[in-house]
Amino acid sequence: MGTVSRSLEALMSILSFRSNKPAPAPVATSDFVAGYSIEVMPRTAEKVESFAEILPVGTRVYIAHIDGTPIEEMVATAKRIAAEGFEVMPHFPARIIDDAATLEDWIARYQGEADVRSALLLAGGVAEPKGAFDNSMQLMDTGLFDKAGFTRLHVAGHPEGNRDIDVDGSDANVSEALRWKQAFSERTDAQMAIATQFCFEAQPVIEWAEALRANGIDLPVHIGIAGPGKLQTLIKFAIACGVGPSLRVLQKRAMDVTKLVLPYTPDDVVNELAAHKAANPDFAIEQIHIFPLGGIKTSAEWANAAATQAKVSAAR
């Protein structure tokens, strides 16, 4: 019996998807995950037969604009998703936009074909500008989004810093940019928020968000969360996207042979953030934004279950 018991314990350890730490109250997590947003690209959106079948009504869907993707594909994707009843938020990467005329054309296309009124403004993933713009502040300064009547503008945030912006590893330039965007939020009619890079560890995010408030930045934060996926896949994306110290969470998991072959799920980081939000209602993080690195349907299923499980249990 002793040998059998030890074998069962070992098997349960291998099959465990969670840490041994007690999970925070599920109701807090349910409330925190509800209202999530999610990110797609034209090529990943093509694999989804119906967004209405997998996403809750009203979900905000970001469309990532990768360098080299024709604007026609971006607009077509926005049109399709908007037609299914979702708020579409395309990326406007400053460094791949030729000039103000091109920016105005993109805005007109999105509005004319997909009735887009929201945008995520960011520098973009290329090292050198291909045209007149180097950063998202220059896009905002054109006045074209206000002129077009955009109701919501989001800007990028980096809880673990950004080496492309602060090459010395500090956060001086990032912080200065956020102060500029805070000031801009006070002179635009559009609602603004900070949408962040994904990360895997809660405490540094909590400290970063609290530092924002201490420095007078009161824009709400939509924290980036990597959806469920193969550990190897997430490590690859994390390195490619410049994820900072929280990458150690994945690296530590990769060294544990009992977890190496198991899918990663974001339960731990989301539960910790949700618990902090429940205890501190004024916490800067307003909701989560999911990067579906392991697939859109997989991420949506995880988020939908997390957002409803506590409510279902409470109704029984």
Side-chain angles (χ1 to χ4, degrees), residues 39 86 88 217 221:
E39 186 154 316
F86 298 100
V88 176
I217 309 297
V221 175

Side-chain angles (χ1 to χ4, degrees), residues 156-240:
H158 306 277
E160 299 183 276
N162 187 324
R163 285 281 185 172
D164 290 337
I165 300 174
D166 287 295
V167 295
D168 61 358
S170 71
D171 63 354
N173 293 330
V174 168
S175 296
E176 183 179 352
L178 282 176
R179 285 190 288 271
W180 188 97
K181 293 164 187 176
Q182 172 69 39
F184 180 84
S185 73
E186 296 163 6
R187 61 179 187 269
T188 179
D189 291 331
Q191 289 183 281
M192 291 187 64
I194 300 169
T196 82
Q197 175 63 279
F198 59 90
C199 42
F200 301 97
E201 194 171 15
Q203 190 56 40
V205 169
I206 292 170
E207 293 171 3
W208 172 79
E210 291 177 344
L212 289 181
R213 291 291 183 262
N215 290 321
I217 309 297
D218 64 7
L219 296 173
V221 175
H222 296 190
I223 190 69
I225 296 293
K230 294 180 180 179
L231 186 59
Q232 297 90 330
T233 299
L234 267 67
I235 290 174
K236 179 185 72 174
F237 276 111
I239 293 172

